[in-house]
Amino acid sequence: QVQLVESGGGLVQAGDSLRLSCAASGRTFRGHAMAWFRQAPGKEREFVAAINWSGSGAYTDYADSVKGRFTISRDNAQSTVYLQMNSLKPEDTAVYYCAAKPGPYSKYYNHYNYWGQGTQVTVSS
C-alpha cells in the first residue's frame, strides 16, 4: 500500500508559478512510476505529467497542453514527487491529483493503483 499526500495548491494569477508536492509513505516508493492528473469541473480527469522510477535520468512525459511550462521531478530519497508549474493559465484551473503505479508510467488514470486526495489550483485571469 502507498499513501500519497499532495500539497502546494492555491489561488494565483495568470503568468504566476506554483510548485505541487506529493509525499509518498507506506510501501516502498521504489519501482513506482508517479504521475499528476487534473480534473476541472464537468470534465474528465486528464493526464498532466509522469515520471518513471529510475536510479538516474528518469524518463518523463507531459501532456501537450503543459509541455514547456510544467516540469515533473522526483526525490527518491525523500519519497516525494514535484510538479513545477510556470506561466500558469486560467485553463490550468483544476484539482490536481498525484498517482502511483508499479512499473512504467501510463497516461491512463485507470492504470494507477494509488491516489492522493487532490489539491486545488485556481488561476485567475
Side-chain angles (χ1 to χ4, degrees):
Q1 191 80 5
V2 175
Q3 290 82 40
L4 304 174
V5 178
E6 302 100 333
S7 61
L11 172 62
V12 297
Q13 293 186 333
D16 286 351
S17 298
L18 274 177
R19 189 176 82 155
L20 305 183
S21 299
C22 173
S25 61
R27 190 174 174 177
T28 179
F29 192 59
R30 184 180 183 86
H32 282 71
M34 304 296 296
W36 289 95
F37 288 79
R38 66 187 181 186
Q39 188 165 18
K43 294 188 176 181
E44 287 194 358
R45 193 167 297 192
E46 65 173 358
F47 171 78
V48 175
I51 185 167
N52 273 342
W53 164 267
S54 175
S56 62
Y59 183 81
T60 58
D61 198 7
Y62 298 91
D64 288 342
S65 59
V66 306
K67 205 169 289 184
R69 299 188 297 124
F70 291 9
T71 302
I72 188 171
S73 61
R74 64 190 294 165
D75 182 338
N76 291 331
Q78 299 297 321
S79 297
T80 301
V81 63
Y82 303 98
L83 184 68
Q84 177 67 43
M85 305 186 294
N86 297 331
S87 302
L88 282 162
K89 304 175 181 180
E91 51 263 44
D92 295 319
T93 295
V95 177
Y96 283 71
Y97 297 92
C98 176
K101 67 179 292 295
Y105 83 93
S106 169
K107 291 186 175 182
Y108 301 98
Y109 67 85
N110 58 347
H111 290 180
Y112 286 79
N113 306 74
Y114 308 105
W115 290 88
Q117 81 288 353
T119 185
Q120 176 71 47
V121 172
T122 303
V123 184
S124 64
S125 57

